[in-house]
Amino acid sequence: MPDHNKFRIAIIKNVEIDLYEAADEIAEVGAGVTVWPRTWKLLRSMGIEQDMIDVLKERPTDEPKLAFTFRKSDQKNAVTFKRMVNYGGVATFHRADVQQALMKNVPSFCKIHLSHRLEHCYEEKNCVKLHFLNGATATCNLLIGADGIKSVVRQCLHTLPNNGITYTGTVAFRGLIPVEKLPTTYSDSRKRDDPVIYCGDSKYIVRYPVSKGRLINVGAFCTKLSDVGKALEGPTVRDASQQEVLEEFKGWEDEVINLLKCIDKPTCWAIQDLKPLHSYHSERIVVIGDAAHAMSPHFGIGAGQAMEDAYILGGLLCKLTRDGEIPTLLKIYDDIRRPFANKVLQNSRQQGLFYQFNMPGFRDLVGETSPEHLATLGDILTRRWAFAWNETAENDHQKAISMLDSRVKL
C-alpha cells in the first residue's frame, strides 16, 4: 500500500475521505508481502478476495499446505529440520501486485491528492488543521495517520527521542530472482518455488515466490547484537554488491551461495522498528500501520497488522452517527488494537533472533547439528507463528462494535 500521510474524514452521516499521498504518483514499488490466513479472512469479508487471487499463482484453500521449510544452513552439510504446515499456508505477493489489487477497490467517496507531504498538524477542539510542504492546508474532523515508520502524525501525538524509532542491529540484503534461474528440484524434494527460511549464526535468509511464481523474493538478514539500539549511521537503504552479500554468507551451504549468486543488484536495508507506544490516539488523531507499530519483518505480518487496524477502525467509523462520538471511537480502537499489535511488534523481533540462534538456550546450535535441539526450535517457531492461522481479528472487530454500541447508548 502507498505511504499515506493521512485520511481526512468529515463525518455526520456521509463519509468523505481525502487521502494525501506524499509522492507525485502511486508507484508500484516495494518488496514482498506475505498474507496469512488471519488476514486473508478479512480480505474475504471486505469483498476484495478475488482481486487478490488474480495476482496469485494458485487460489488459497483451507486445506493443509506448506508455509515454510526451515534449514540449518550455516555449514556445508546443511539439514532441513522443519516443514511448517498450516491450514491455508501463506499467500505471497510482490508489493506492487497487492497495491494494484487494492487500488481497484478505492471507493468513489475517497479523493486522492498526490504530492502532498504532511509537514505538521494541529489539533483543535473541533477539528485538526494540516499543513503540507507544498504550501497547501486542509481541515478535518478526524486525522488517520498511515504515514509509515517516520510518521509526522505520530510526532503530533508523542514527543519521543528519534520519533520512537529503534535500530534493531539488523540489515537485510534484498533482491528478486527469475524462477527459471533456480534448480527445478532439491535434495529434500522441495520445488524451486517453495518458500524456505535458511537459519544460521546471527544470519538468516528467507525466500518465497511472488508475481504468480515468476519471481523469487529473497531477503538475507545479518545481525550485530552489539549494534542493537545504536544510532543508525548512513542511509536506511543503499545499493549493495553481490560480492558483499556472498562475503556475509561465506561458509554456508552451496544452495545458499548459489541462490545469492542469482541476485545481480541487491539492495541493503537497515531494519528498524518502533518502541511500543502507550497510546495510538488523541481526541481527533489516530495512527495505524507502521505509524503505530512498525515492526521488523521476521513474522511477515506487518502488512497484515496494518490491514487489521484499518478493518477494525473502519468498522467503528461505519457505526459513527455524530462528530462528538469520535473520541469514544478512538479510545475503543486503541483499547482493542494497541495491546495486540504491540505484542506482535515485540515478538517479531524475537522471532528473528530464533532464526539466528541468538535466543537464550539456542546459541549452542552454532557450529553443530543437534537433531533434537533443532526439532525443538522448529516446534517453537511454529507455535509462535500459529496465531497467524489459528486466530482471526473478527472477534476483536465484533468486540469493538459492541463496546461502541454500549458506550453510545449511555
Side-chain angles (χ1 to χ4, degrees):
M1 292 188 294
D3 197 26
H4 304 147
N5 272 44
K6 68 116 194 147
F7 293 101
R8 176 180 68 92
I9 301 183
I11 302 171
I12 295 296
K13 289 185 178 180
N14 298 317
V15 176
E16 296 177 2
I17 301 176
D18 283 274
L19 189 154
Y20 292 89
E21 167 61 51
D24 57 7
E25 64 177 333
I26 306 295
E28 296 181 356
V29 296
V33 172
T34 54
V35 176
W36 294 88
R38 69 174 287 128
T39 305
W40 192 266
K41 293 172 183 176
L42 302 187
L43 299 175
R44 181 181 300 159
S45 70
M46 290 187 289
I48 59 177
E49 178 184 33
Q50 188 56 52
D51 289 321
M52 299 290 282
I53 290 173
D54 290 343
V55 294
L56 284 174
K57 181 180 179 181
E58 58 185 40
R59 185 185 187 94
T61 71
D62 294 328
E63 300 299 316
K65 183 179 177 182
L66 176 69
F68 279 103
T69 294
F70 291 92
R71 286 176 64 80
K72 185 181 188 302
S73 298
D74 59 346
Q75 56 196 45
K76 290 299 182 181
N77 57 331
V79 59
T80 293
F81 65 90
K82 183 70 176 183
R83 289 174 59 83
M84 189 171 76
V85 175
N86 65 281
Y87 288 97
V90 57
T92 54
F93 302 85
H94 192 287
R95 180 184 171 112
D97 293 333
V98 175
Q99 189 170 298
Q100 185 181 55
L102 295 179
M103 287 298 291
K104 292 180 181 179
N105 293 274
V106 175
S108 59
F109 54 83
C110 176
K111 299 177 182 178
I112 299 178
H113 307 265
L114 301 176
S115 301
H116 279 67
R117 181 176 294 278
L118 187 66
E119 183 176 21
H120 55 263
C121 57
Y122 300 99
E123 182 173 5
E124 299 185 353
K125 183 177 180 180
N126 297 315
C127 67
V128 182
K129 294 185 176 181
L130 312 174
H131 296 259
F132 300 93
L133 286 176
N134 63 4
T137 61
T139 302
C140 61
N141 299 83
L142 170 60
L143 171 63
I144 303 176
D147 51 340
I149 191 170
K150 297 179 181 180
S151 173
V152 174
V153 178
R154 185 173 65 249
Q155 290 178 318
C156 297
L157 293 176
H158 303 290
T159 301
L160 301 168
N162 198 32
N163 201 10
I165 302 171
T166 301
Y167 177 44
T168 66
T170 299
V171 297
F173 298 95
R174 288 174 168 159
L176 292 169
I177 301 173
V179 69
E180 60 269 17
K181 280 192 172 185
L182 302 179
T184 304
T185 58
Y186 295 86
S187 59
D188 56 357
S189 300
R190 280 177 290 124
K191 301 176 183 178
R192 63 183 177 183
D193 60 351
D194 278 353
V196 183
I197 294 179
Y198 304 93
C199 302
D201 180 12
S202 296
K203 299 180 176 71
Y204 83 93
I205 298 171
V206 59
R207 52 168 280 183
Y208 54 80
V210 297
S211 299
K212 293 188 175 182
R214 294 188 296 268
L215 299 172
I216 301 297
N217 184 70
V218 178
F221 296 81
C222 306
T223 298
K224 293 182 179 180
L225 294 180
S226 59
D227 287 347
V228 175
K230 286 186 176 180
L232 180 62
E233 297 181 1
T236 55
V237 183
R238 63 175 176 84
D239 292 332
S241 69
Q242 186 184 90
Q243 187 57 42
E244 179 184 0
V245 184
L246 290 172
E247 189 64 29
E248 287 284 355
F249 290 88
K250 186 177 181 179
W252 282 50
E253 65 164 310
D254 291 343
E255 182 179 324
V256 163
I257 301 303
N258 293 333
L259 177 73
L260 297 177
K261 284 181 178 179
C262 292
I263 304 176
D264 294 326
K265 296 180 179 179
T267 54
C268 182
W269 301 61
I271 304 302
Q272 301 177 98
D273 62 12
L274 283 184
K275 293 181 179 179
L277 300 179
H278 62 79
S279 172
Y280 289 173
H281 76 104
S282 61
E283 295 292 292
R284 292 182 177 272
I285 298 175
V286 65
V287 287
I288 67 173
D290 282 355
H293 44 69
M295 59 189 66
S296 54
H298 309 309
F299 265 141
I301 205 167
Q305 286 300 292
M307 293 178 192
E308 289 183 26
D309 291 346
Y311 182 72
I312 291 175
L313 184 57
L316 289 168
L317 289 173
C318 288
K319 300 283 290 184
L320 205 60
T321 59
R322 55 189 176 86
D323 181 84
E325 295 169 359
I326 289 176
T328 298
L329 179 151
L330 297 185
K331 177 64 166 61
I332 292 171
Y333 166 80
D334 188 73
D335 287 343
I336 294 291
R337 282 300 299 156
R338 181 171 48 82
F340 186 85
N342 281 355
K343 180 180 178 181
V344 177
L345 186 166
Q346 293 172 303
N347 286 347
S348 185
R349 187 189 283 205
Q350 290 182 352
Q351 193 82 345
L353 296 177
F354 273 113
Y355 301 152
Q356 300 170 90
F357 310 149
N358 276 328
M359 285 297 285
F362 289 95
R363 283 302 296 164
D364 59 354
L365 283 175
V366 176
E368 68 170 74
T369 302
S370 167
E372 296 80 9
H373 208 175
L374 284 172
T376 299
L377 176 60
D379 290 342
I380 289 174
L381 292 174
T382 302
R383 286 198 302 270
R384 288 172 56 84
W385 226 327
F387 78 98
W389 57 83
N390 285 337
E391 302 174 16
T392 174
E394 186 58 37
N395 290 338
D396 284 345
H397 173 245
Q398 294 300 327
K399 182 179 178 181
I401 297 300
S402 296
M403 291 170 64
L404 180 62
D405 287 343
S406 63
R407 294 187 190 184
V408 168
K409 287 177 182 178
L410 294 177

